[in-house]
Amino acid sequence: MPVDPQPSLTSTAPRVPGASAVEVRRSSRRRRTVSAYREGDRTIVLIPARMSEAEERRWVTVMLDKLAAQESKSVLGDRELTERAERLSGQYFGGRARPASVRWVTNQNTRWGSCTPSEGSIRLSHRLQGMPEYVVDYVLCHELAHLLVPGHGPDFWRLLDAYPRTERARGYLEGVAEAARLPQLPGAREE
């Protein structure tokens, strides 16, 4: 990202005890976008130079809230993921699907999950982390169903119908996959 040779800086101290300092950087090159990131114990908010002080205050609040929301999304560890799979198996499959292991993996970029029924292992793509719980639960149920029925035949889909948010989760994942294929718009506004 090109850096403005002499960005205008405005620092504001947070009013919340224990919170990090906020540094606002104004840039004449930045026209429409606002972004923020953490840098050590500071939060850096990048805004267009032409913004008024009122707009700056509003965007700082928006971006701090956005960062806090992103950071609060807890990522389940493998143990919690296994416990979740066991709970879903009990709830939707009468406890019959018993995975030997459930874990996140970073080498699945074209699949959301995979299952090896002979080993009882389930792997979920790290790309699911941060997605809504019902979507992660759907992928877990999908892979749990494979422990009981290999393949994607009618028996598999009937079994998976036990999970009530199957269609909604499939639609969400299809939307994410389609969005990844779209070209990125230059200068798209972050809000």
Side-chain angles (χ1 to χ4, degrees):
M1 177 175 129
V3 177
D4 202 356
Q6 300 222 314
S8 169
L9 300 180
T10 305
S11 294
T12 57
R15 303 220 180 342
V16 180
S20 66
V22 175
E23 181 180 320
V24 176
R25 295 181 184 169
R26 291 174 171 268
S27 171
S28 58
R29 292 182 189 222
R30 190 173 281 268
R31 298 282 182 232
R32 293 185 308 259
T33 62
V34 175
S35 61
Y37 61 93
R38 304 278 192 213
E39 187 176 84
D41 64 347
R42 293 181 307 155
T43 301
I44 310 300
V45 180
L46 307 170
I47 65 171
R50 63 171 175 69
M51 263 191 193
S52 70
E53 287 185 32
E55 287 174 307
E56 175 185 318
R57 284 191 301 276
R58 184 179 77 79
W59 275 106
V60 166
T61 301
V62 166
M63 298 311 288
L64 288 174
D65 289 346
K66 187 174 181 178
L67 281 174
Q70 288 171 348
E71 292 167 352
S72 72
K73 289 182 180 175
S74 63
V75 175
L76 299 175
D78 290 348
R79 193 176 107 232
E80 293 87 4
L81 201 57
T82 299
E83 290 168 0
R84 192 168 178 170
E86 290 168 354
R87 187 184 78 242
L88 291 167
S89 174
Q91 190 172 357
Y92 298 111
F93 306 117
R96 295 179 296 131
R98 294 188 180 104
S101 68
V102 183
R103 62 191 175 96
W104 296 109
V105 294
T106 57
N107 63 350
Q108 287 189 4
N109 294 315
T110 58
R111 299 180 190 195
W112 297 113
S114 62
C115 174
T116 307
S118 62
E119 297 173 4
S121 64
I122 292 174
R123 292 159 308 280
L124 297 187
S125 172
H126 71 287
R127 296 177 303 139
L128 290 165
Q129 293 174 337
M131 287 191 187
E133 284 187 15
Y134 75 92
V135 175
V136 176
D137 286 352
Y138 162 73
V139 176
L140 276 171
C141 284
H142 184 105
E143 302 310 332
L144 287 166
H146 279 307
L147 292 176
L148 303 172
V149 179
H152 292 104
D155 290 342
F156 172 83
W157 292 109
R158 270 193 295 278
L159 185 62
L160 195 52
D161 280 343
Y163 183 66
R165 297 178 114 182
T166 292
E167 288 307 312
R168 183 174 181 194
R170 286 175 55 93
Y172 183 96
L173 292 171
E174 287 170 8
V176 169
E178 280 302 311
R181 289 186 193 95
L182 293 173
Q184 297 301 310
L185 299 173
R189 180 181 289 229
E190 286 190 32
E191 297 188 60

